[in-house]
Amino acid sequence: MPEHLTEYLFAVTIFCLIPGANTMMTIKNSVRGGFIDGTATSAGIGAGFFIHAAVSTCGLALILYHSAQLYHAIKFCGAAYIIWMGIQSLRNAIKNNFSGTDQQICFAQCSIRKSFTEGIVFNILNPKTCIFYMAFLPQFMDANGNLLLQACILAGVHCTIFLCWQCAIAGFVHKAKALISKAKVRSRIDTVAGVALIGLGVELAVSD
């Protein structure tokens, strides 16, 4: 079993509450398709934690850490995907801004599979998460135990806390439907999400 679970629980909760690319992705898709869209996206992101945990435990993260070319290749793919999602948000913002009408807008029909796929791809293409897991998880693992099992347990705790918080965000966005259905408000939310995602993508691309 993992060690110091109380400390891990506290630390990972703080990490989940800090706004970042994952939160912006959830908000963006919640604006697009409501609670179901945001929840499915969050589930995909959460599933990515298990992949990162397994990869880190199997030592591939160490390869990424020592192979600059491989690391940068994955990093640029992740950055490009994040920037592309940001551009999509800005396109939606422009579309809503030009509509100019404050009419009631229904959330778009969403595909749970598509939203889940967007979430998991969004997460696994970020090598920073893999490096973070490689550096963070070993502090709470028993070296004499089953490392893969411990990593999955820790990832499960992380995923559970993350989903609770992200689903709450998706639920808030859904409840605020009357407000975000206004074209100008929707446009501003998409603009903020788009700029934030593009900024995060650029920051990832240029970071060492």
Side-chain angles (χ1 to χ4, degrees):
M1 289 292 294
E3 299 179 330
H4 311 296
L5 280 178
T6 302
E7 290 85 350
Y8 175 79
L9 183 64
F10 177 77
V12 82
T13 298
I14 297 299
F15 290 135
C16 288
L17 293 178
I18 297 175
N22 292 333
T23 300
M24 295 311 303
M25 186 66 173
T26 298
I27 292 175
K28 185 187 84 68
N29 283 7
S30 296
V31 170
R32 179 183 68 184
F35 180 75
I36 295 178
D37 200 343
T39 300
T41 303
S42 299
I45 294 173
F49 293 145
F50 290 95
I51 295 176
H52 282 301
V55 168
S56 299
T57 305
C58 292
L60 292 182
L62 191 60
I63 297 175
L64 286 177
Y65 187 78
H66 287 291
S67 175
Q69 291 183 338
L70 180 58
Y71 173 80
H72 283 91
I74 296 177
K75 182 180 73 170
F76 287 133
C77 286
Y81 186 74
I82 293 174
I83 291 172
W84 181 78
M85 296 302 296
I87 292 173
Q88 292 297 102
S89 264
L90 291 181
R91 289 179 61 186
N92 290 334
I94 294 172
K95 180 180 178 180
N96 289 322
N97 190 49
F98 278 113
S99 70
T101 56
D102 290 342
Q103 59 186 0
Q104 188 70 17
I105 302 173
C106 295
F107 288 123
Q109 186 69 30
C110 69
S111 165
I112 294 179
R113 177 180 294 182
K114 176 184 177 182
S115 300
F116 181 86
T117 301
E118 285 182 351
I120 195 169
V121 171
F122 187 83
N123 194 354
I124 64 177
L125 282 181
N126 186 355
K128 282 190 172 182
T129 305
C130 193
I131 299 300
F132 168 78
Y133 262 50
M134 183 188 69
F136 187 66
L137 293 192
Q139 301 179 49
F140 304 93
M141 295 169 67
D142 180 4
N144 297 318
N146 187 317
L147 297 181
L148 183 58
L149 176 60
Q150 293 181 74
C152 288
I153 292 174
L154 293 174
V157 173
H158 186 187
C159 181
T160 300
I161 297 173
F162 173 82
L163 285 178
C164 288
W165 176 238
Q166 297 299 304
C167 287
I169 292 175
F172 173 79
V173 172
H174 187 85
K175 289 295 184 181
K177 179 179 178 180
L179 177 62
I180 66 174
S181 289
K182 295 180 180 294
K184 289 185 178 179
V185 174
R186 199 180 180 96
S187 176
R188 288 171 183 172
I189 293 175
D190 279 329
T191 299
V192 171
V195 171
L197 289 173
I198 291 175
L200 288 167
V202 172
E203 190 275 335
L204 174 61
V206 301
S207 65
D208 291 331

